Amino acid sequence: MIKIEAIIRHFKLEDVKNALTQQGVAGMTITEVRGFGRQKGHTETYRGTEYAVDFVPKVKLEVAVGEEKLQSVVDTIIRTAQTGQIGDGKIFVSDLRDTIRIRTGETGNDAL
C-alpha cells in the first residue's frame, strides 16, 4: 500500500478530486495548509501598505492506494493540477505499513 500526499493550488482541488474519483479512488483527505518552496511567498498591498506573505496557502490532498494504482494516480494528479507556473506544488509518495478500518477491523487493501 502507498500513501500519496499532494500539495496543490486551491482552485485545482475540484478538478483533481473529480479526476481521481473517475480513476476509482475511493477516498481522500483534504487539509488546508500554508507553506513555501521555491515560490518564496509574495507581496500584497493592504490599505496602501505593502507586506510580505511568506507562507502561501495551498491544499494538501492525501490518498492511500494499492501499489497497482500508484502510477495512474500520480499521473492524474500531475495532469489535472499542473498550470506550468512556479507554485504548482509537490507530490510525496511513501509506503504504508498497514491500514486498518476502525468499524470492521479489516486490514491492508481490504481496508482501503
Side-chain angles (χ1 to χ4, degrees):
M1 293 173 300
I2 304 293
K3 180 179 180 182
I4 302 168
E5 296 176 76
I7 310 296
I8 61 173
R9 297 176 187 268
H10 277 89
F11 67 89
K12 288 295 194 171
L13 176 59
E14 202 62 33
D15 294 340
V16 172
K17 180 192 72 115
N18 292 337
L20 290 177
T21 302
Q22 287 178 348
Q23 287 257 312
V25 172
M28 60 190 73
T29 301
I30 307 298
T31 310
E32 294 201 19
V33 297
R34 297 184 329 148
F36 70 90
R38 289 188 182 156
Q39 192 175 5
K40 302 281 193 257
H42 61 279
T43 58
E44 290 187 6
T45 303
Y46 179 71
R47 294 188 177 182
T49 303
E50 191 172 283
Y51 63 98
V53 177
D54 294 330
F55 295 101
V56 180
K58 301 284 183 173
V59 174
K60 180 179 177 181
L61 169 79
E62 296 175 85
V63 179
V65 296
E67 288 191 40
E68 68 281 355
K69 286 189 174 184
L70 169 63
Q71 197 57 52
S72 67
V73 169
V74 168
D75 291 344
T76 298
I77 294 170
I78 291 170
R79 186 180 72 250
T80 54
Q82 189 176 61
T83 67
Q85 303 295 314
I86 293 174
D88 275 351
K90 295 267 190 302
I91 298 174
F92 304 98
V93 178
S94 55
D95 290 323
L96 280 179
R97 197 176 97 204
D98 201 2
T99 302
I100 303 152
R101 184 177 308 223
I102 295 172
R103 179 178 54 88
T104 61
E106 294 172 295
T107 61
N109 282 331
D110 293 337
L112 296 178

